[in-house]
Amino acid sequence: MADNNFKQQNNLGQDNLGQNQISSEENKNITQEVKDEARRKLLKNTAYATAGIGLACAILPFIDSMNPSKDVQALASIDVDISNIKVGEEKKVMWRGKPIFVKRRTPQEISDAQKVELAELKDPQADSDRVKKGKEEWLITIGICTHLGCVPIGGQGDYKGWFCPCHGSQYDTSARIRKGPAPKNLEIPPYEFINDKTIKIG
Amino acid sequence: MSQNSPYDHDDKKLTPKQEIELFHSIENDVDTSITQTSKLAGWINDRLPIIASLENTLKKHPYPKNLSYWWNFGSIAGIALVIQILSGLFLAMHYVPNTQHAFDSVEHIMRDVNYGWLIRYIHAVGASMFFVALYAHIIRGLYYGSYKAPREILWWIGIIIFLLTMATAFMGYVLPWGQMSFWGATVITNLFSAIPVIGKSIVEWLWGGYSVDNPTLNRFFVLHFLMPFLIVGVVLLHLLALNTAGSNNPTGVPIKTKKDAIPFHPYFTIKDLVGFAVFFLIFGYFLFFYPNALGHPDNYIPANPLVTPTHIVPEWYFLPFYAILRAVPDKLGGVLMMFGAIILLFFLPFLDRSEVRSGAYRPLFKKFFYVFVINFIFLGWLGKSPAEGWYIWASRLTTFYYYAYFLLILPFLPRFEKVLQLPKSVDEHYQESHKKH
């Protein structure tokens, strides 16, 4: 590389003494210029890199401004009165703009969910991990199909759980994915029982 | 088995570079000296050479004299874009991008704003008409090999316009905030959740929340307003590339001499006007008699995040791609196949290995091409049918053909195809086709 530069500069001929006869003084000068060239290149690249990083830093706040804002983020929690939900019934409530299914399961539905072998499942999870201990009757899920975000319909499908009308995903009575294109079980939101009649979601 | 030559022995295929050089060496014999005859024009042109470049494009540049009506759809797509921008501008003066008011403001436009119904229907029907023109334009390019060297970049810019237009149309459909708006937006934005690891963050970033909601609507409105102007910019690049590589023509044989060419004005200005007339007739038919025929009735129900419509379908112009999405029984796989169906078009200049450009001289290609077009329309029909029973298998088969056409047929067909002899020049073809009468 340096050699190439050397030849080129020589051919351009600052002080042409002939191809092979260069005084040691000039040789020094040329070597100096080659060095300068390399330095300049480094300086240029450093400047570009700095400008690039600066630009990226400047863009970042704008990209982040499109993320959920603080008021949206604030984990607005809601209290849900569950005293009026009868066995087998499902109540839909809104939490963070999403529908939440509060389902009071029948003994049949509970035992159906508990009987399933984990090996049969696409997204293996035991029913006991999806409900609170001692409150197996209550299944609380985010009512959004994990495929493309539609709201599944309760009490339908081959597994008597939920059926998504959009692309035919089917969930069982523990809201676990059993059939269709959805990859995951219905999500369980963070929630707790305040007392026997009220749950707090969020 | 071996490929026969489509050229006479004394005639050879030009390299892309030679073709471009030849194109630029031809100049129509027309008086183009506005800048010399008008003092004012000359004064302006010396400082800003727009008059000269306009003259160049309209009068000096050679256009093949055998262009058929299939070459009308570019200018038709252009006028459709202008109509969308103008009608959209007036709609934006009355529309409110807020989940509480959006639906009502659209009804306000329909009922209270003077001629609001007309402007909104022009915009809604106009979107469909735009896509009709785009699809026709693309099919023209596919048949006549307009994507081949030296027009690769011209073709790529065209696909970018297609993608930008689809994104713009999708966001526009969300604005009325009806059931299909909301659930269409939910399904389409959720496509990005299929991306491993970062998918969920990307979707929440797109939404500006944890579901499609007010921040989503507001930004979609802003982007829907902005993007048409970006499209105009990319269209100008499309035209610049067109004026550099020159127009293809039904023979695919490059223009070589003045005899092959005519200027754009007045020949194609007048012909484009004929195209516009027919286009506006069809436009008017839908606009005044069936303005809702191409939309979905569910979008007149206000958006409800708690209830998904039993049958979600996108607008008709997305249906073939939607069918590909549903044909694949895997979330990520479906999304990749759907986007891949369009990304594939970028590789087309390298996938089609035939040295003959125009499909008119490729008997075997023609058959596969017609099947491709019918297959694509069938895909669209499947896209609006429920995803069950034999439909699923039919959409898998049609998806397979869509991909096979690009990945198997176009690359390998030339090995078996006996092509027809190409005319020596555009002029020869022109004289031949006009002799019959």
Side-chain angles (χ1 to χ4, degrees):
Chain A
M1 189 63 199
D3 190 44
N4 234 347
N5 262 340
F6 176 85
K7 267 184 195 157
Q8 238 174 6
Q9 302 223 347
N10 191 30
N11 281 341
L12 286 174
Q14 274 95 13
D15 255 358
N16 235 336
L17 290 173
Q19 293 284 350
N20 302 317
Q21 298 172 319
I22 305 166
S23 71
S24 65
E25 184 59 26
E26 273 182 345
N27 206 343
K28 234 189 210 166
N29 279 345
I30 290 165
T31 326
Q32 188 58 40
E33 270 178 40
V34 170
K35 266 187 188 164
D36 283 351
E37 196 63 34
R39 279 177 172 174
R40 188 160 296 160
K41 208 173 167 189
L42 178 74
L43 282 172
K44 263 192 206 163
N45 287 343
T46 314
Y48 288 146
T50 313
I53 293 166
L55 191 69
C57 291
I59 290 171
L60 220 58
F62 294 95
I63 291 179
D64 197 32
S65 76
M66 288 174 71
N67 270 320
S69 56
K70 295 212 172 58
D71 61 328
V72 175
Q73 256 178 18
L75 258 175
S77 59
I78 51 163
D79 291 346
V80 183
D81 178 14
I82 55 170
S83 60
N84 56 357
I85 304 174
K86 298 192 189 81
V87 173
E89 268 186 4
E90 176 192 306
K91 188 176 177 177
K92 271 189 217 171
V93 292
M94 286 292 273
W95 173 70
R96 278 172 143 196
K98 294 175 179 177
I100 301 289
F101 295 157
V102 181
K103 166 89 181 177
R104 187 169 180 183
R105 299 189 293 181
T106 62
Q108 174 68 37
E109 285 171 335
I110 298 170
S111 67
D112 278 354
Q114 286 172 340
K115 261 188 284 178
V116 178
E117 295 282 333
L118 284 190
E120 288 177 42
L121 298 171
K122 197 168 170 185
D123 179 15
Q125 199 179 17
D127 185 60
S128 55
D129 293 336
R130 296 176 59 77
V131 293
K132 303 275 186 218
K133 206 168 161 67
K135 301 277 188 187
E136 281 82 4
E137 209 177 21
W138 298 98
L139 178 70
I140 288 104
T141 52
I142 297 177
I144 288 182
C145 180
T146 55
H147 181 223
L148 294 172
C150 297
V151 178
I153 301 163
Q156 285 193 18
D158 299 350
Y159 300 90
K160 299 281 185 316
W162 285 267
F163 171 78
C164 182
C166 291
H167 306 96
S169 292
Q170 304 195 12
Y171 299 86
D172 65 13
T173 55
S174 188
R176 289 172 297 200
I177 182 64
R178 301 301 291 273
K179 209 175 165 187
K184 295 227 177 289
N185 305 331
L186 287 190
E187 226 181 293
I188 310 284
Y191 71 94
E192 60 190 46
F193 282 87
I194 295 178
N195 51 47
D196 280 350
K197 289 181 175 177
T198 320
I199 55 168
K200 184 191 177 95
I201 300 174
Chain B
M1 284 287 274
S2 68
Q3 188 170 10
N4 59 322
S5 173
Y7 302 98
D8 285 346
H9 11 269
D10 57 333
D11 203 12
K12 269 208 188 112
K13 187 180 161 66
L14 299 166
T15 68
K17 203 173 160 61
Q18 284 170 329
E19 203 177 305
I20 290 175
E21 278 165 4
L22 203 55
F23 168 70
H24 286 281
S25 69
I26 306 168
E27 233 172 51
N28 289 305
D29 295 317
V30 280
D31 175 30
T32 59
S33 46
I34 300 177
T35 47
Q36 281 151 34
T37 50
S38 157
K39 253 189 161 175
L40 178 65
W43 186 87
I44 295 172
N45 197 64
D46 287 343
R47 287 149 182 84
L48 182 72
I50 43 168
I51 298 172
S53 46
L54 209 63
E55 267 187 345
N56 264 332
T57 312
L58 292 179
K59 294 184 177 173
K60 272 193 200 157
H61 264 316
Y63 289 83
K65 63 179 177 184
N66 61 340
L67 295 187
S68 70
Y69 275 110
W70 278 104
W71 266 260
N72 273 60
F73 291 104
S75 69
I76 289 175
I79 196 87
L81 175 61
V82 171
I83 289 171
Q84 288 309 93
I85 290 177
L86 290 179
S87 56
L89 185 71
F90 287 94
L91 288 176
M93 294 180 191
H94 302 281
Y95 171 78
V96 185
N98 182 294
T99 51
Q100 301 297 311
H101 306 291
F103 190 87
D104 290 343
S105 75
V106 172
E107 285 310 302
H108 161 72
I109 289 169
M110 292 300 287
R111 296 165 197 218
D112 305 330
V113 174
N114 296 328
Y115 291 104
W117 61 272
L118 178 68
I119 301 174
R120 175 166 175 259
Y121 278 154
I122 287 175
H123 202 69
V125 174
S128 284
M129 293 299 134
F130 194 174
F131 275 98
V132 170
L134 276 184
Y135 276 121
H137 193 57
I138 294 169
I139 285 171
R140 193 286 316 275
L142 286 176
Y143 182 75
Y144 291 109
S146 301
Y147 45 83
K148 290 189 186 181
R151 299 188 181 81
E152 303 96 322
I153 294 183
L154 177 61
W155 173 255
W156 291 334
I157 295 172
I159 303 165
I160 291 169
I161 295 172
F162 184 46
L163 284 169
L164 286 174
T165 307
M166 289 203 284
T168 309
F170 157 68
M171 288 192 280
Y173 195 61
V174 176
L175 303 185
W177 210 243
Q179 272 290 67
M180 278 299 161
S181 298
F182 182 87
W183 291 103
T186 299
V187 169
I188 300 300
T189 48
N190 261 308
L191 292 178
F192 294 94
S193 71
I195 302 167
V197 190
I198 51 165
K200 207 178 161 203
S201 325
I202 288 178
V203 174
E204 286 176 359
W205 176 73
L206 286 173
W207 288 337
Y210 302 102
S211 59
V212 173
D213 211 328
N214 202 47
T216 326
L217 178 62
N218 210 330
R219 67 187 54 178
F220 276 18
F221 174 63
V222 171
L223 293 173
H224 182 71
F225 200 111
L226 168 76
M227 286 178 68
F229 296 98
L230 293 182
I231 294 173
V232 169
V234 184
V235 166
L236 291 178
L237 290 180
H238 197 59
L239 292 177
L240 181 63
L242 176 70
N243 279 343
T244 307
S247 274
N248 187 22
N249 68 73
T251 62
V253 175
I255 48 177
K256 292 166 194 157
T257 59
K258 274 181 196 169
K259 272 179 99 181
D260 295 337
I262 46 175
F264 193 89
H265 182 74
Y267 299 104
F268 291 116
T269 36
I270 208 76
K271 191 174 179 179
D272 278 351
L273 285 177
V274 174
F276 288 175
V278 176
F279 175 67
F280 285 132
L281 267 179
I282 298 167
F283 197 137
Y285 175 77
F286 279 103
L287 174 58
F288 294 113
F289 296 97
Y290 300 98
N292 288 308
L294 300 167
H296 198 288
D298 272 19
N299 222 28
Y300 283 102
I301 303 169
N304 181 355
L306 284 178
V307 181
T308 305
T310 44
H311 191 45
I312 295 186
V313 280
E315 290 287 80
W316 69 266
Y317 38 80
F318 293 138
L319 288 172
F321 302 106
Y322 190 61
I324 293 177
L325 169 75
R326 296 197 309 183
V328 185
D330 176 76
K331 185 172 169 178
L332 181 60
V335 173
L336 288 178
M337 288 290 275
M338 185 184 71
F339 284 115
I342 296 168
I343 301 304
L344 205 52
L345 295 174
F346 280 103
F347 296 95
L348 195 49
F350 314 114
L351 290 172
D352 184 351
R353 313 279 298 181
S354 175
E355 65 171 323
V356 175
R357 196 175 278 146
S358 168
Y361 300 89
R362 301 179 58 190
L364 208 51
F365 163 86
K366 242 189 226 180
K367 291 183 184 126
F368 286 109
F369 175 81
Y370 289 136
V371 175
F372 175 78
V373 173
I374 292 163
N375 183 72
F376 190 69
I377 294 168
F378 187 46
L379 257 179
W381 182 80
L382 288 166
K384 80 175 185 33
S385 311
E388 58 194 31
W390 72 273
Y391 294 124
I392 295 177
W393 287 104
S395 44
R396 282 175 193 165
L397 273 174
T398 41
T399 300
F400 174 77
Y401 185 79
Y402 182 97
Y403 272 87
Y405 177 79
F406 291 111
L407 295 175
L408 294 173
I409 295 167
L410 288 185
F412 295 108
L413 191 63
R415 296 191 183 189
F416 310 99
E417 190 172 46
K418 203 168 152 52
V419 293
L420 305 180
Q421 184 111 48
L422 289 171
K424 269 188 181 149
S425 68
V426 164
D427 182 56
E428 188 191 279
H429 170 254
Y430 182 85
Q431 301 299 348
E432 282 291 319
S433 56
H434 285 72
K435 228 192 287 177
K436 291 168 199 158
H437 305 290

